[in-house]
């Protein structure tokens, strides 16, 4: 399966692994007090994305 790429200015997560990496980055930014990174990281987590929707649709339509 081909993983589509997010082409937004702020790259959103597409796969669950991408989301987990961003979650770890949020935790690390909070740990070290990097409050400038948090808005960008949160934007990467929270915005809708066509690439993510397309990837999920591909996963759901695959035969088990």
């Amino acid at each position: 399966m081909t993983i589509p790429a997010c082409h937004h200015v702020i790259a959103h997560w597409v796969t669950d692994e991408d989301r987990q990496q961003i979650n770890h980055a949020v935790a690390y930014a909070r740990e070290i007090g990097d409050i400038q990174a948090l808005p960008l990281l949160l934007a990467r987590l929270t915005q809708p994305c066509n690439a993510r929707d397309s990837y999920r649709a591909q996963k759901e339509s695959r035969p088990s």
Side-chain angles (χ1 to χ4, degrees):
M1 170 174 32
T2 302
I3 299 174
C6 172
H7 297 290
H8 291 110
V9 173
I10 298 174
H12 303 108
W13 65 275
V14 176
T15 66
D16 292 330
E17 292 81 19
D18 294 341
R19 181 179 46 81
Q20 192 60 38
Q21 286 178 342
I22 297 169
N23 283 334
H24 287 301
V26 168
Y28 181 70
R30 291 181 68 200
E31 181 180 321
I32 65 169
D34 186 356
I35 60 171
Q36 294 176 339
L38 289 174
L40 176 62
L41 292 168
L42 294 175
R44 291 187 67 197
L45 284 175
T46 59
Q47 300 300 316
C49 182
N50 294 339
R52 180 174 51 235
D53 296 341
S54 174
Y55 176 72
R56 292 219 177 247
Q58 285 178 21
K59 272 180 60 173
E60 291 173 2
S61 68
R62 270 192 334 192
S64 298

